[in-house]
Amino acid sequence: MATLQDVADRAGVSVSTVSRALHETGQVKSETSQRIRSVADQLHFSLSRSASSLASGKTMRVVYLTYNNLNTWYTSQCMEGLYTGLYGTGYDLIPYVTTVKEDLDAFIEELPSNGNLDGLVLTSFPFTEDQLTLLRGLHIPTVAIDSNSPDVFDASVMLDNKSAMYSAVQLLQRLGHTSIAYVGDLLSDRFFISSRTRCEYFLDAAHQLGYGDDNIEVFTRDDAKPEVNGSQSIIAQYVSSILSSPKKPTALCASTDYLAMSLIHGFREVGVSVPDDFSIVGFDDMECADLMDLTTLHQDPLKTAKLAAEKLLKLMKGEEVEERYTEMKASLVVRHSTKRAS
Amino acid sequence: MATLQDVADRAGVSVSTVSRALHETGQVKSETSQRIRSVADQLHFSLSRSASSLASGKTMRVVYLTYNNLNTWYTSQCMEGLYTGLYGTGYDLIPYVTTVKEDLDAFIEELPSNGNLDGLVLTSFPFTEDQLTLLRGLHIPTVAIDSNSPDVFDASVMLDNKSAMYSAVQLLQRLGHTSIAYVGDLLSDRFFISSRTRCEYFLDAAHQLGYGDDNIEVFTRDDAKPEVNGSQSIIAQYVSSILSSPKKPTALCASTDYLAMSLIHGFREVGVSVPDDFSIVGFDDMECADLMDLTTLHQDPLKTAKLAAEKLLKLMKGEEVEERYTEMKASLVVRHSTKRAS
DNA sequence: TTGAAAGCGGTACCAC
DNA sequence: GTGGTACCGCTTTCAA
């Protein structure tokens, strides 16, 4: 592994000069610079990030803090968006997944004194007050994606779940559905802020649009028998709860596309048709949604994350972001999983 | 940001001792160790990775080199598998995506002298001979996933595409399909090694099972008119080529589930039914496949990647891997996108 | 425009 | 068991 010194020796200059030449600070005579660069090329030289970091105080690392898994549609879109947003800047993107609560706690605890990252992007977490206090005092730039406490962070990009859910409920109403329901996530809604948020806005919208409590229902994972596990059986349970509900809903809003599609599949298995017997609206508009003809709320977390990365870059440069909170809109995409109530 | 020195001062010991205590080398009196740890906790101390790296020569970074995007099903499964495989070891996982050929070239060029990673995991790339030579001489452990030149790397995990394609073709034959076709990826097969590999094995299997060239056909992206872009129109073109083919295939093997599902959708739009008019077999068994009742070849890239990470860990420890090449099997999952030829 | 040298915050070897 | 200290490879003043 060649070092700056090696390059300097071969080029007949000092390490300082090599460093300057490689960083294109413009203070090196172009002739010297040329020579240095060619020597560096010959040696396949590349700077040691550790040494650079240590000397400069910048780690060139951005951490993406998320929960559960990297292989969900949402998270992978975020990763891609962050990656493209950071691309070409020299910053490395490091995913940090908090599978258990302790991971998250430890990470947050250590954050203030942790000199191992220059910037942090995080997705919506159910932070405790103590954690929020800690986060508030953070000295490294932090950008939140879909956070429910945006004011705590230096910047944030949030999806407007409220108007999204309103448009979904409005669609169902226009289609003549008089009894409607929300179906929560496959995983516990306690952890999935977005599902809970959407549920609240669903209820708000329903009330606003004149639905009475007798015509609104909510099905969530947390109501499921604790022994029920595996998405197959959760879906089966959802399906039977919905079918046997005294409120007899004819239209459903699901917290995600994946859930919506699973429900459609679950209904089909017991001979119930979507959209003939039930109208279903999803959320996300993932690639499969189009293929399954799902009516859904389209969101673009890739774009969201890219924007988050761009804000973070500004903040890390010490600049102000032009817009501290950015709200992204979801748009209703009507396909064929919804139809007029019969 | 507290340093080792700060902790040492407050604990009344030397930095060496603090370092040893924090690394639990076992050479520190437990009483001293306790005191040190409590001081460290108080100070919210955490080691500087840059400094540790520089001093120890280990970067504690593993790079995952891949192409195109982080938001594909396959890549996100790999990310998750690598992350879980590396979890708890202190290694950071850093994705490196080569969108353009130049990125890949530059990365490979720089690799031998690049002291910025301790290990490398890479997915199948169409490497040139020069690059392979470079890779062969690498001094950092390298593990390949689904590589077509596994002998170049210290270890690898590969999917057995051959037997997978054989079982798909066999299924179609048993179902009585006398004219069959392979449909290549939505993106250029030139870049997608796996698609090309599968195509070759599809042809091998077909020949082996007695299909003659008159009853075998291949549709690929590269045949498409260059002006055709966007997956919608590519699918439309695939569909019309297939429908107008003089060989009149009645069964198709698609390179991926996503393609298979897109084809089903495309057929449906022109009033052609799957499986009534065409049988289709996908590849991957992504979550949606079940929901769309797709017959497919199930593979588990998460598991594959996790295994790759485990092998890499061994190699980075200087140990031998017990199995240098591991072959993963895909299994045929028969659902309802295939049926007996009419 | 260039060079010398003082760190950056650890690790690990060598003493004691 | 513990402390002293020479690096690790680079950045960044300060001086020339």
Side-chain angles (χ1 to χ4, degrees):
Chain A
M1 224 190 59
T3 71
L4 260 196
Q5 187 67 63
D6 297 335
V7 180
D9 291 349
R10 298 259 294 232
V13 292
S14 74
V15 287
S16 334
T17 306
V18 177
S19 177
R20 286 188 280 250
L22 262 29
H23 286 286
E24 309 186 49
T25 57
Q27 0 173 12
V28 181
K29 202 201 294 176
S30 77
E31 189 189 305
T32 321
S33 192
Q34 295 263 294
R35 182 156 36 96
I36 291 174
R37 304 176 81 78
S38 86
V39 169
D41 276 358
Q42 274 172 46
L43 264 43
H44 291 289
F45 173 79
S46 59
L47 287 169
S48 153
R49 288 186 157 250
S50 306
S52 297
S53 295
L54 187 55
S56 71
K58 303 194 58 177
T59 64
M60 298 311 281
R61 301 154 40 105
V62 168
V63 168
Y64 171 48
L65 183 68
T66 183
Y67 48 67
N68 268 325
N69 303 295
L70 294 172
N71 59 346
T72 64
W73 178 79
Y74 182 81
T75 313
S76 69
Q77 297 295 326
C78 284
M79 281 295 293
E80 175 70 11
L82 292 174
Y83 191 89
T84 55
L86 254 26
Y87 184 76
T89 60
Y91 283 99
D92 279 338
L93 173 63
I94 299 175
Y96 193 97
V97 185
T98 57
T99 14
V100 291
K101 197 178 163 307
E102 287 70 31
D103 278 355
L104 178 61
D105 294 348
F107 185 86
I108 301 288
E109 271 293 318
E110 184 178 284
L111 213 41
S113 62
N114 182 337
N116 294 317
L117 60 166
D118 290 339
L120 176 64
V121 176
L122 40 73
T123 43
S124 177
F125 282 102
F127 290 122
T128 65
E129 256 319 309
D130 286 356
Q131 290 176 328
L132 288 177
T133 308
L134 253 171
L135 288 167
R136 241 180 287 261
L138 228 52
H139 60 289
I140 61 159
T142 305
V143 177
I145 294 179
D146 287 340
S147 170
N148 45 339
S149 36
D151 52 305
V152 174
F153 309 101
D154 301 301
S156 55
V157 190
M158 318 169 270
L159 181 66
D160 181 2
N161 281 295
K162 186 184 174 102
S163 72
M165 292 316 293
Y166 187 88
S167 63
V169 175
Q170 196 176 38
L171 170 72
L172 298 179
Q173 185 177 51
R174 284 189 186 146
L175 290 173
H177 294 280
T178 51
S179 181
I180 62 178
Y182 177 85
V183 188
D185 214 274
L186 280 172
L187 291 129
S188 169
D189 291 341
R190 267 193 283 276
F191 208 48
F192 282 85
I193 296 286
S194 65
S195 174
R196 222 164 58 191
T197 310
R198 283 169 200 167
C199 182
E200 281 162 26
Y201 289 135
F202 167 86
L203 294 173
D204 287 355
H207 286 133
Q208 233 177 94
L209 287 164
Y211 285 91
D213 285 333
D214 290 349
N215 301 313
I216 304 177
E217 196 158 3
V218 170
F219 301 91
T220 74
R221 172 70 180 99
D222 295 328
D223 301 332
K225 304 185 191 75
E227 72 272 18
V228 174
N229 263 308
S231 55
Q232 289 278 351
S233 39
I234 298 171
I235 291 299
Q237 207 194 328
Y238 268 149
V239 165
S240 82
S241 307
I242 294 167
L243 291 175
S244 63
S245 159
K247 296 189 183 174
K248 297 201 176 305
T250 58
L252 312 170
C253 283
S255 62
T256 66
D257 278 357
Y258 186 63
L259 174 61
M261 298 191 295
S262 301
L263 287 172
I264 293 176
H265 191 253
F267 278 129
R268 197 191 309 146
E269 289 202 326
V270 294
V272 174
S273 158
V274 172
D276 293 337
D277 303 319
F278 278 97
S279 280
I280 296 191
V281 181
F283 205 120
D284 282 345
D285 197 20
M286 51 192 265
E287 290 66 22
C288 292
D290 181 29
L291 300 178
M292 283 193 74
D293 254 343
L294 184 71
T295 293
T296 191
L297 290 154
H298 173 91
Q299 71 159 325
D300 191 346
L302 191 155
K303 202 168 133 197
T304 300
K306 184 156 183 282
L307 186 55
E310 285 158 2
K311 291 194 181 202
L312 188 65
L313 283 172
K314 284 220 167 172
L315 290 165
M316 291 190 301
K317 269 194 242 171
E319 297 170 14
E320 287 284 309
V321 289
E322 68 301 329
E323 189 177 56
R324 192 164 164 201
Y325 311 128
T326 304
E327 193 170 67
M328 308 296 277
K329 291 284 180 190
S331 58
L332 187 64
V333 180
V334 181
R335 298 201 183 93
H336 302 292
S337 65
T338 44
K339 74 176 234 190
R340 181 151 288 282
S342 47
Chain B
M1 225 190 58
T3 70
L4 260 196
Q5 187 67 62
D6 297 335
V7 180
D9 291 350
R10 298 260 294 232
V13 292
S14 73
V15 286
S16 329
T17 306
V18 177
S19 178
R20 286 188 282 250
L22 262 29
H23 286 288
E24 308 186 49
T25 57
Q27 1 173 10
V28 181
K29 204 201 293 175
S30 77
E31 190 189 306
T32 322
S33 191
Q34 294 263 295
R35 182 157 35 94
I36 292 174
R37 304 177 80 78
S38 87
V39 170
D41 276 358
Q42 272 173 50
L43 264 43
H44 290 290
F45 174 79
S46 58
L47 287 168
S48 154
R49 288 184 157 252
S50 306
S52 297
S53 295
L54 187 55
S56 71
K58 304 194 57 179
T59 64
M60 297 310 281
R61 301 153 39 105
V62 167
V63 169
Y64 171 49
L65 183 68
T66 183
Y67 48 68
N68 268 327
N69 303 295
L70 294 172
N71 58 346
T72 64
W73 177 80
Y74 182 82
T75 313
S76 69
Q77 297 295 326
C78 284
M79 281 295 293
E80 175 70 10
L82 292 174
Y83 191 89
T84 55
L86 255 25
Y87 184 76
T89 60
Y91 284 99
D92 279 339
L93 174 62
I94 300 175
Y96 192 98
V97 185
T98 57
T99 15
V100 291
K101 197 180 162 306
E102 287 68 33
D103 279 355
L104 178 60
D105 294 348
F107 184 86
I108 301 288
E109 271 293 315
E110 185 178 284
L111 212 42
S113 61
N114 182 337
N116 293 317
L117 60 166
D118 290 339
L120 177 65
V121 176
L122 40 73
T123 43
S124 176
F125 281 102
F127 290 122
T128 64
E129 256 319 308
D130 286 356
Q131 289 176 329
L132 288 177
T133 308
L134 254 170
L135 288 167
R136 240 180 287 262
L138 229 52
H139 61 289
I140 62 158
T142 305
V143 177
I145 294 179
D146 287 340
S147 170
N148 46 339
S149 35
D151 51 305
V152 174
F153 309 101
D154 301 302
S156 55
V157 191
M158 318 168 270
L159 181 65
D160 182 1
N161 281 297
K162 186 183 174 102
S163 71
M165 291 316 292
Y166 187 88
S167 64
V169 175
Q170 196 176 39
L171 170 72
L172 298 180
Q173 186 177 50
R174 283 189 187 146
L175 290 173
H177 293 280
T178 51
S179 181
I180 61 179
Y182 177 85
V183 188
D185 213 274
L186 280 173
L187 290 130
S188 170
D189 290 341
R190 268 193 283 276
F191 208 48
F192 282 84
I193 295 286
S194 66
S195 174
R196 222 165 56 191
T197 310
R198 283 170 200 166
C199 183
E200 281 163 25
Y201 289 134
F202 167 86
L203 294 173
D204 287 355
H207 286 134
Q208 233 177 91
L209 287 164
Y211 285 91
D213 285 332
D214 290 351
N215 301 313
I216 304 175
E217 197 159 2
V218 171
F219 300 91
T220 74
R221 171 71 180 99
D222 295 328
D223 300 333
K225 304 185 191 76
E227 72 272 16
V228 174
N229 263 309
S231 55
Q232 290 277 352
S233 39
I234 297 172
I235 292 298
Q237 207 196 328
Y238 269 148
V239 165
S240 82
S241 307
I242 294 167
L243 291 175
S244 62
S245 159
K247 295 188 183 175
K248 300 201 175 304
T250 59
L252 311 171
C253 284
S255 62
T256 66
D257 278 357
Y258 186 63
L259 174 61
M261 298 191 296
S262 301
L263 287 171
I264 293 175
H265 192 252
F267 278 129
R268 197 192 308 146
E269 289 203 324
V270 295
V272 174
S273 157
V274 171
D276 293 337
D277 303 319
F278 278 98
S279 280
I280 296 192
V281 181
F283 205 120
D284 282 345
D285 198 19
M286 50 192 265
E287 290 65 21
C288 292
D290 182 29
L291 300 177
M292 284 194 74
D293 254 343
L294 184 71
T295 293
T296 191
L297 289 154
H298 172 92
Q299 71 159 326
D300 191 346
L302 191 156
K303 200 167 134 197
T304 299
K306 183 154 182 284
L307 186 55
E310 286 159 0
K311 291 193 180 203
L312 188 65
L313 283 172
K314 284 219 165 170
L315 290 165
M316 291 189 303
K317 269 194 240 167
E319 298 171 13
E320 287 285 309
V321 289
E322 67 302 329
E323 190 177 55
R324 193 166 163 200
Y325 311 128
T326 304
E327 194 170 66
M328 308 295 276
K329 291 285 179 189
S331 58
L332 187 63
V333 180
V334 181
R335 297 201 184 92
H336 301 293
S337 64
T338 43
K339 75 176 235 193
R340 181 151 287 284
S342 47

